[in-house]
Amino acid sequence: MKIILFSDDLLPDSDIVGGAGIMTLQLAKEFQSAGHEVLTVTATKHKEKAGNFVFEGIRVVRLHTKYYQDRWRSYRSIYNPAVMKGVKEALIHFKPDIVLAHTIHLYLS
């Protein structure tokens, strides 16, 4: 089965070091060890950290988003144009059977 996991936060070098990013990575590892194909998608405010890479055996797509003030948080969490193209491309190319969207209230839409 193909599983894609979305999370605003994900190690390494995450913008927010917290439980959600750690939990998402652990879930991805467990799904992969159970024989599933896994892809994680996250975001960063730092353009140089964006890109595709493998971290601890897990494929990661890290999308760049511009910094926005907290007052725009509710609006941008519904639709963030800076990441929508990358989110759409990840879904189209990976063609997941299951989508897990975990804590996507800051950067991913």
Side-chain angles (χ1 to χ4, degrees):
M1 198 170 334
K2 295 174 90 172
I3 303 171
I4 193 167
L5 295 97
F6 290 95
S7 180
D8 282 335
D9 176 39
L10 191 70
L11 297 173
D13 302 323
S14 60
D15 292 337
I16 312 160
V17 179
I22 295 167
M23 188 171 112
T24 301
L25 183 61
Q26 290 298 328
L27 282 170
K29 288 179 181 180
E30 289 298 320
F31 290 146
Q32 190 164 289
S33 70
H36 302 291
E37 188 176 349
V38 177
L39 176 67
T40 58
V41 179
T42 190
T44 182
K45 295 180 286 186
H46 308 285
K47 196 170 190 174
E48 67 278 2
K49 291 183 181 180
N52 301 339
F53 59 96
V54 176
F55 178 69
E56 295 185 8
I58 303 297
R59 293 186 338 187
V60 178
V61 174
R62 189 185 289 147
L63 305 170
H64 175 252
T65 184
K66 296 178 183 176
Y67 173 77
Y68 55 88
Q69 296 175 350
D70 286 343
R71 68 183 176 148
W72 296 108
R73 181 176 177 173
S74 297
Y75 177 75
R76 288 293 185 215
S77 65
I78 294 171
Y79 182 74
N80 184 353
V83 298
M84 287 309 297
K85 181 181 177 187
V87 167
K88 185 176 179 179
E89 286 176 359
L91 289 167
I92 289 171
H93 293 296
F94 190 65
K95 296 182 174 92
D97 298 306
I98 295 176
V99 175
L100 174 61
H102 187 72
T103 63
I104 57 168
H105 63 283
L106 291 175
Y107 306 117
L108 296 176
S109 298

